[in-house]
Amino acid sequence: MNMDTLRVDAQPFAWRFPPARTAVIMIDMQRDFILPGGFGDTLGNDVARLKPAVTAALELLDWCRARNMLVVHTKEAHAADLSDCPLAKRLRGDPTLRIGDPGSMGRILIDGEFGADFVEELTPLPGEVIITKPGKGAFYATELGEILKAHGITHLLFGGVTTEVCVQTTMREANDRGYECLLVEEATESYFPEFKQATLAMIRAQGGIVGWTATLEALTHATPQTESQEVSADES
Ligand code: C5J
């Protein structure tokens, strides 16, 4: 039995991962996306839809923390002078408040403001990695790639919001960089339920073209891989 590798009942087939080389990436669990008065709200979304993912994300983080896995939190936030916010992003659409405008939780999506910070329940613990990103993908214009390399990471667990925007973009970026990626289904959410389901389906289609998905229960019941499972018919 290989105690260094765990096996999860996942889709489209079992996911095997070595916890010592696995990081969890929690995407953008910020007040600006989850609470009233933030960026998501100004765009006309029902932010209450994201709330259930907060509880599941905390369970996921705690499970990873108990296994000493690398924990990475990302936040989508811009410099106060907006020098890293393209006009194409700031001026798009018809929000009630644009990035950088003053709102009830401070300036919208500006690093250091109350709204751009993490929701209380998901405050990073000392020593955990925080990536501030100007884009949707967490590898773009950040040090994430170097940090994962320095820790010898090969596998990534994902949670966060929103499923089809920053989570999916980052998972695709990670997949292209050679990481084996699994998205934990309850730990991610979208303002649009149908987009969440479509994203889960897209990720695991065609034999896991972007990666795997699994329920939190399946992950937390992962079992040490046995030798007979190492070459297994369930991967076909
Ligand atoms: C969006 C994100 N939706 N974190 N950002 O603009 O998904």
Side-chain angles (χ1 to χ4, degrees), residues 27-28 33 39 43 76 133 136 161-162 165-167 191:
I27 303 282
D28 300 0
F33 292 111
F39 186 55
L43 289 166
E76 184 177 345
K133 62 184 180 65
K136 309 293 189 231
V161 297
T162 59
V165 185
C166 292
V167 175
Y191 302 120

Side-chain angles (χ1 to χ4, degrees), residues 182-193:
L182 181 138
L183 176 56
V184 179
E185 295 170 18
E186 301 91 330
T188 184
E189 210 32 270
S190 169
Y191 302 120
F192 308 93

Side-chain angles (χ1 to χ4, degrees), residues 62-212:
D62 283 345
W63 189 84
C64 294
R65 286 166 176 150
R67 280 149 192 82
N68 293 318
M69 289 162 55
L70 181 70
V71 177
V72 177
H73 305 261
T74 74
K75 55 175 165 164
E76 184 177 345
H78 294 278
D81 64 3
L82 295 174
S83 54
D84 58 359
C85 182
L87 273 186
K89 179 176 184 181
R90 182 167 143 75
L91 299 183
R92 190 164 311 155
D94 190 23
T96 53
L97 293 173
R98 294 191 186 277
I99 295 170
D101 288 349
S104 59
M105 295 190 289
R107 292 179 66 201
I108 298 287
L109 234 51
I110 296 298
D111 198 23
E113 298 284 341
F114 187 73
D117 207 346
F118 302 102
V119 292
E120 207 72 39
E121 300 92 319
L122 300 176
T123 302
L125 297 184
E128 293 181 347
V129 177
I130 298 174
I131 298 289
T132 304
K133 62 184 180 65
K136 309 293 189 231
F139 287 84
Y140 167 68
T142 74
E143 65 284 19
L144 178 59
E146 286 71 34
I147 291 172
L148 296 179
K149 239 177 244 157
H151 283 84
I153 298 298
T154 55
H155 290 60
L156 297 173
L157 287 164
F158 281 93
V161 297
T162 59
T163 317
E164 77 281 10
V165 185
C166 292
V167 175
Q168 178 170 217
T169 302
T170 303
M171 208 166 157
R172 287 177 181 272
E173 285 182 329
N175 184 52
D176 282 348
R177 286 164 173 78
Y179 293 98
E180 303 281 14
C181 301
L182 181 138
L183 176 56
V184 179
E185 295 170 18
E186 301 91 330
T188 184
E189 210 32 270
S190 169
Y191 302 120
F192 308 93
E194 68 276 24
F195 288 177
K196 172 177 173 176
Q197 292 312 319
T199 302
L200 297 178
M202 278 186 246
I203 285 169
R204 59 197 182 210
Q206 304 177 75
I209 195 134
V210 178
W212 285 255

